[in-house]
Amino acid sequence: MPKVVDHDQRRVDLVEATWRIIARHGIEGATMRDIAAEAGFANGALKPYFPTKDDLLTFAFDHVFNQTNERMEKSTAGHTGLAALRAFCHEILPLDDTRIQEARIVIPFWQKALTDPSKATLNEESMRQWRSRLHEHLREARAAGDIHTTAPDADIVGHLMTVVLGAQITAVLSPAEHSPARLITQLEGYLRVLATGD
């Protein structure tokens, strides 16, 4: 009987192999041959799934985004307002090896998105979803009396997006100065400002 191939799982295996190769060699040093070998596949086996490295990078970004969203759903379950806002941000911040590896995928994707309209559109749609969720948590927090700042919600969401997305870059480039503990402290400092209005 022919072996049944789980194509979705194979794509995920290739993405995870891509993370490991990029972590070791960077995006420019990550060849399709190396990725295939890392995943335990013959080089030609990648073509039906990802004809080019750009196709693989796009899928990897989408996979990271969906994986982050799944964590957000779990971590915010049972929470509202400021507690949900905090949990939401923690899932984007590079606080462990998994999230740091995700940042290593996202950074080269952003670089490609500067000149590739389809990648730019995918990124903007993804970020729009996150901004919408942040607005929702802020509305809950204000309704509960957890936030006292007069700053507009749009400014707060913009600030939080800058913090969490910027942290993905700084934590990869200079991890000693941007440890998980320090990133959490920085986020908590801003959340205190929102809560107290100072």
Side-chain angles (χ1 to χ4, degrees), residues 61-62 65-66 69 72-73 88 92 121-137 157 161:
F61 174 85
D62 200 41
F65 179 72
N66 290 331
N69 283 346
M72 287 169 174
E73 290 298 326
F88 185 93
I92 305 173
T121 298
L122 175 59
N123 178 73
E124 179 51 32
E125 177 56 33
S126 302
M127 297 305 99
R128 188 181 298 116
Q129 289 182 41
W130 283 356
R131 290 194 296 270
S132 177
R133 291 285 303 278
L134 286 171
H135 274 289
E136 178 184 335
H137 295 317
V157 168
M161 289 291 285

Side-chain angles (χ1 to χ4, degrees), residues 26-74:
I27 184 63
E28 298 305 327
T31 68
M32 294 295 274
R33 183 180 300 277
D34 289 341
I35 292 167
E38 181 75 18
F41 302 146
N43 188 39
L46 269 67
K47 290 293 184 183
Y49 300 101
F50 307 109
T52 69
K53 189 163 69 174
D54 261 10
D55 294 325
L56 176 54
L57 185 59
T58 298
F59 182 85
F61 174 85
D62 200 41
H63 180 71
V64 165
F65 179 72
N66 290 331
Q67 187 168 266
T68 304
N69 283 346
E70 288 176 9
R71 290 198 308 265
M72 287 169 174
E73 290 298 326
K74 292 178 182 177

Side-chain angles (χ1 to χ4, degrees), residues 61 64-65 68-69 72 88-94 99-100 102-104 106-110 123-124 126-131 134 157-173 178 183 186-187:
F61 174 85
V64 165
F65 179 72
T68 304
N69 283 346
M72 287 169 174
F88 185 93
C89 290
H90 278 196
E91 297 308 330
I92 305 173
L93 287 173
R99 283 169 278 188
I100 289 171
E102 290 174 349
R104 290 179 181 273
V106 169
I107 292 169
F109 179 86
W110 285 337
N123 178 73
E124 179 51 32
S126 302
M127 297 305 99
R128 188 181 298 116
Q129 289 182 41
W130 283 356
R131 290 194 296 270
L134 286 171
V157 168
H159 183 92
L160 287 170
M161 289 291 285
T162 298
V163 167
V164 295
L165 297 180
Q168 293 187 318
I169 298 172
T170 56
V172 169
L173 293 178
H178 300 90
L183 293 177
Q186 291 168 357
L187 175 64

